[in-house]
Each structure stands twice: as C-alpha cells, then as structure tokens.
C-alpha cells in the first residue's frame, strides 16, 4: 500500500534534515570547529535546531503513517503534515535569533500542537475500532 502523505512527508523531512546539517556545516567551516561545539553559541543553536527536529519528526511520521493506514489519505492530514514542515523551517531559522527569532516559538508551538492533534486523532481511531 502506498501512503502518499507519509511518503511525501518523509521525503520533505529528509530534505529539511539535510538543510539543517548544511547550516551546521556552514558555522563549523566559518569558525573552524571540527568536532563538538567549541563553546560557540551559534553552533550550539544550529546543532540544537537539528537535534530538536530529529527528536520530534519520527513521532510525527509514525502518527501520519498510522492515521493514513487507518483512514486513508485526506486533505486535512496533508495540511497538518505541511504545516509541521513549515513549522520546522521556522524553528530552524528562529534558533539563530535576531529578526527571525520568533520563528523558534512559532515552530515549537506548531510542533507541540501537531503532536497533540495527531496523537488524539490516532487514539480516537483506535477507540473507534
């Protein structure tokens, strides 16, 4: 069975993870920090943005797949997945601080609401079964 929303989301997540890794590499190169964070706040912020993405995205992908398997593809599920990915971009940019610093808060809020919403949706499907 093909799960187009989950597959698209997993692909988008892979690309976002590469983008977050490249952003880390740019700081490493500019500041000549090969291993660890060297105590550099900019590097720590970018590393945490990527780590936070890796901490949350597997749960989202599992929930998307489970819901899509149980209920099929839907515009709402696709919208939730897309919003989550946009939130993760906002969080990544927001972790740099500065003018886009509010993106961190927006991305965090979107992530928490997505986890909550998908979690409740999954439980409601399970209780209906």
């Amino acid at each position: 069975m093909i799960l187009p929303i989950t597959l698209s989301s997993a692909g988008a997540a892979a690309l976002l993870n590469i983008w977050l890794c490249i952003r880390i590499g740019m700081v490493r190169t500019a500041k000549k920090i090969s291993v660890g964070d060297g105590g550099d706040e900019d590097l720590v912020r970018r590393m945490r943005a990527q780590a936070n993405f890796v901490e949350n995205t597997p749960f989202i992908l599992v929930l998307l797949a489970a819901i899509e398997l149980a209920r099929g593809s839907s515009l709402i599920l696709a919208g939730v997945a897309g919003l989550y990915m946009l939130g993760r971009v906002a969080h990544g940019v927001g972790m740099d601080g500065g003018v886009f610093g509010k993106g961190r808060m927006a991305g965090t809020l979107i992530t928490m609401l997505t986890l909550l919403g998908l979690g409740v949706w999954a439980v409601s499907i399970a209780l209906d079964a």
Side-chain angles (χ1 to χ4, degrees), residues 47 55 66:
M47 290 171 69
E55 292 162 3

Side-chain angles (χ1 to χ4, degrees), residues 66-126:
I67 293 167
E68 192 171 14
L69 275 169
R71 292 292 188 252
S73 300
S74 74
L75 192 55
I76 292 172
L77 191 61
V80 168
L83 183 63
Y84 173 75
M85 296 302 165
L86 289 174
R88 297 318 304 175
V89 170
H91 181 269
V93 172
M95 283 294 289
D96 285 348
V99 71
F100 296 112
K102 291 188 181 190
R104 177 183 181 194
M105 185 187 325
T108 298
L109 183 61
I110 289 169
T111 297
M112 295 300 119
L113 291 174
T114 303
L115 282 168
L116 177 64
L118 290 177
V120 168
W121 193 354
V123 169
S124 73
I125 290 169

Side-chain angles (χ1 to χ4, degrees), residues 13-121:
L15 295 175
L16 272 172
N17 195 49
I18 289 169
W19 172 70
L20 290 166
C21 289
I22 289 169
R23 288 171 45 85
I24 292 167
M26 291 168 57
V27 174
R28 286 189 181 285
T29 300
K31 300 196 176 182
K32 297 180 179 23
I33 303 169
S34 177
V35 177
D37 60 34
D40 184 85
E41 185 177 343
D42 294 335
L43 183 54
V44 169
R45 286 173 172 270
R46 291 207 176 170
M47 290 171 69
R48 280 304 309 149
Q50 197 255 352
N52 188 272
F53 178 79
V54 171
E55 292 162 3
N56 288 289
T57 301
F59 289 103
I60 298 293
L61 292 175
V62 167
L63 286 164
L64 288 172
I67 293 167
E68 192 171 14
L69 275 169
R71 292 292 188 252
S73 300
S74 74
L75 192 55
I76 292 172
L77 191 61
V80 168
L83 183 63
Y84 173 75
M85 296 302 165
L86 289 174
R88 297 318 304 175
V89 170
H91 181 269
V93 172
M95 283 294 289
D96 285 348
V99 71
F100 296 112
K102 291 188 181 190
R104 177 183 181 194
M105 185 187 325
T108 298
L109 183 61
I110 289 169
T111 297
M112 295 300 119
L113 291 174
T114 303
L115 282 168
L116 177 64
L118 290 177
V120 168
W121 193 354

